[in-house]
Amino acid sequence: MHLGPWDEERERAGDPRPAIAERYASRDEYLARVRAAAQALVTGRYLLDEDIDTSVRFAARMWDAWA
């Protein structure tokens, strides 16, 4: 298994969490999960419905930067 620079940095720092790309099969799956989680927060009245798209856009930027 080849480790990318982010994996090596994570290992040096002792961070046991897998990288974002290791946790999800694809960007689309990740964003679908983010959308579902945001919807659950709306249902629980912790997030406004109009903030779902903002949350997904932010998550997409995080995927693009770190995956």
Side-chain angles (χ1 to χ4, degrees), residues 33-51:
R33 288 185 181 210
V34 168
R35 183 171 294 282
Q39 184 58 57
L41 290 171
V42 168
T43 300
R45 301 176 59 122
Y46 293 104
L47 188 70
L48 296 173
D49 189 61
E50 58 262 26
D51 292 331

Side-chain angles (χ1 to χ4, degrees), residues 7-66:
D7 293 321
E8 293 164 1
E9 183 177 323
R10 182 171 48 85
E11 284 184 353
R12 270 196 310 275
D15 186 349
R17 298 172 298 173
I20 191 171
E22 296 173 313
R23 287 183 254 173
Y24 304 99
S26 68
R27 183 180 190 267
D28 289 339
E29 177 195 350
Y30 172 67
L31 296 178
R33 288 185 181 210
V34 168
R35 183 171 294 282
Q39 184 58 57
L41 290 171
V42 168
T43 300
R45 301 176 59 122
Y46 293 104
L47 188 70
L48 296 173
D49 189 61
E50 58 262 26
D51 292 331
I52 291 175
D53 287 339
T54 300
S55 298
V56 173
R57 281 193 307 272
F58 180 77
R61 287 198 317 255
M62 293 299 99
W63 177 277
D64 294 342
W66 299 107

